[in-house]
């Protein structure tokens, strides 16, 4: 992989230059080397970091968790168990979000079916049926 400018990296990974600068500022990626003219350049190692971050962000991992993950990654193999645990926690959070989203989708589908069948015209409360208080 050749060294790339910030513009080239943003195009390659479909993220903005501002996002790349932000990731560097918050420590999500290591400090990016600069050329003599002050421009950032992303070597193979830096591109690898960015690929990892983009993949994990697309997997739903929060920026906050990624910061912790990146710090542990820099500490080396002694953090393998902690990194695995962090990813398991992120997975658990996503599964909970999925559960809540599935429940909401099912409720809306049911409500739409009431319109489609004409049953919506009946004066009925669906508060208990939807078990809103159980959320």
């Amino acid at each position: 992989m050749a060294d790339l400018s910030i513009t080239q990296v943003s195009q390659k990974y479909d993220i903005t230059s501002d996002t790349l600068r932000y990731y560097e500022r918050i420590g999500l990626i290591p400090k990016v080397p600069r050329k003599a003219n002050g421009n950032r350049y992303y070597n193979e190692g830096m591109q690898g970091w960015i690929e990892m971050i983009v993949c994990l962000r697309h997997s739903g991992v929060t920026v906050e968790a990624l910061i912790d993950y990146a710090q542990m990654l820099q500490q080396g193999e002694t953090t393998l168990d902690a990194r695995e645990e962090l990813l398991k926690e992120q997975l658990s959070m996503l599964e909970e979000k999925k559960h809540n989203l599935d429940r909401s989708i099912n409720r809306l589908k049911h409500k739409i079916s009431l319109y489609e069948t004409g049953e919506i015209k009946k004066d009925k409360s669906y508060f208990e049926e939807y078990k809103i208080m159980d959320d």
Side-chain angles (χ1 to χ4, degrees):
M1 270 187 228
D3 291 349
L4 300 178
S5 69
I6 194 167
T7 302
Q8 292 169 316
V9 169
S10 69
Q11 291 170 347
K12 180 177 180 178
Y13 297 108
D14 196 26
I15 56 178
T16 67
S17 297
D18 287 339
T19 298
L20 287 165
R21 288 186 201 95
Y22 171 70
Y23 284 173
E24 182 182 1
R25 188 174 64 250
I26 65 173
L28 194 51
I29 57 176
K31 190 139 182 75
V32 179
R34 293 178 183 255
K35 297 207 180 262
N37 63 6
N39 291 342
R40 291 171 173 84
Y41 71 93
Y42 297 82
N43 59 26
E44 186 175 325
M46 292 303 298
Q47 291 175 54
W49 270 92
I50 293 165
E51 285 179 9
M52 175 195 63
I53 298 304
V54 169
C55 287
L56 289 172
R57 284 295 292 143
H58 280 264
S59 298
V61 177
T62 66
V63 170
E64 294 79 12
L66 278 174
I67 292 169
D68 293 341
Y69 186 85
Q71 289 172 349
M72 287 187 275
L73 194 58
Q74 290 177 350
Q75 294 170 15
E77 288 192 17
T78 60
T79 63
L80 282 173
D81 291 339
R83 283 184 269 154
E84 179 183 359
E85 186 59 34
L86 182 145
L87 293 177
K88 285 180 178 179
E89 289 171 6
Q90 290 297 297
L91 178 59
S92 178
M93 288 171 45
L94 285 172
E95 287 172 339
E96 179 66 23
K97 284 181 181 180
K98 180 182 181 283
H99 170 75
N100 291 335
L101 187 56
D102 286 343
R103 185 174 46 212
S104 296
I105 289 169
N106 289 334
R107 286 178 181 158
L108 283 175
K109 284 180 178 180
H110 177 69
K111 190 72 170 181
I112 291 167
S113 76
L114 297 175
Y115 279 93
E116 292 172 345
T117 63
E119 195 175 331
I120 196 68
K121 294 178 183 175
K122 296 180 181 174
D123 192 22
K124 180 179 174 184
S125 171
Y126 297 97
F127 188 81
E128 286 184 28
E129 180 183 347
Y130 291 160
K131 298 181 180 165
I132 299 298
M133 296 309 290
D134 293 344
D135 285 350

